[in-house]
Amino acid sequence: MKMNFAGRELDMSLCHVMGVLNVTPDSFSDGGRFNRPDLALERARQMVSDGAGFIDIGGESTRPGATPVSVQEELDRVCPVVEAVVRELDAVVSVDTSAPEVMTETAKLGAGLINDVRALQREGAPEAAARADIPVCIMHIQGEPDTMQDRPAYRNVRREVSAFLT
């Protein structure tokens, strides 16, 4: 099955690697090492060289206890990196965001996938994702990112996650 990601067509019957590129000073995965556009682009180059077909760019940490950032700060972190990666690399740019404004602006810059840990639950997110007209990845979550790992409980995990995503 072929799928189009902002002009990049991928065969989704094959496995694809996604490189995670957090452009935040408090990233849980890299400690904030790539929070400047030049460092982020160099890291993205390395990930593509290592075989990544997707580069997932996030500008707001969703680790437990992370401080929320303004939409403008998220835009300032993410947009220059999205623009550079789209321009310079042969990879689908995925944007890890829950903010409708970030979805809209990064789609205009050539992002090919919205990756929303909050599953389009923020006001205006479903409409922004629909207008962006690119694929969306949604995830299951109990609570908010800062509380999602505080005693998650399920009676029937398969049924409850399926109901959430539906």
Side-chain angles (χ1 to χ4, degrees):
M1 173 185 142
K2 299 235 183 221
M3 204 165 167
N4 189 305
F5 297 90
R8 295 182 191 276
E9 194 172 89
L10 294 178
D11 182 350
M12 297 309 290
S13 68
L14 303 173
C15 180
H16 298 275
V17 174
M18 177 179 277
V20 174
L21 182 58
N22 293 313
V23 293
T24 64
D26 60 345
S27 169
F28 70 92
S29 65
D30 60 45
R33 293 187 332 207
F34 308 111
N35 65 342
R36 287 192 353 229
D38 60 326
L39 297 174
L41 180 58
E42 186 57 37
R43 179 65 177 140
R45 282 187 188 116
Q46 183 63 54
M47 288 189 282
V48 170
S49 175
D50 290 343
F54 289 85
I55 302 296
D56 186 53
I57 301 169
E60 179 180 35
S61 179
T62 53
R63 68 171 171 73
T67 304
V69 299
S70 70
V71 169
Q72 188 58 56
E73 187 169 356
E74 188 178 355
L75 286 165
D76 291 346
R77 290 175 178 179
V78 170
C79 287
V81 179
V82 168
E83 195 168 27
V85 173
V86 166
R87 181 181 59 244
E88 295 193 26
L89 300 175
D90 185 23
V92 174
V93 171
S94 167
V95 178
D96 179 358
T97 188
S98 298
E101 300 87 346
V102 177
M103 294 173 191
T104 300
E105 289 306 309
T106 57
K108 289 177 189 175
L109 294 173
L113 177 68
I114 296 167
N115 177 14
D116 185 2
V117 69
R118 292 179 180 89
L120 303 177
Q121 293 184 90
R122 283 197 174 158
E123 186 175 333
E127 295 82 5
R131 281 191 310 273
D133 196 30
I134 57 177
V136 178
C137 174
I138 60 172
M139 294 177 224
H140 171 265
I141 187 173
Q142 280 188 349
E144 288 290 319
D146 62 338
T147 63
M148 67 185 173
Q149 295 181 13
D150 293 347
R151 297 178 300 281
Y154 298 92
R155 293 181 72 104
N156 182 317
V157 69
R158 186 190 57 75
R159 188 177 310 135
E160 291 173 49
V161 170
S162 178
F164 175 89
L165 294 174
T166 299

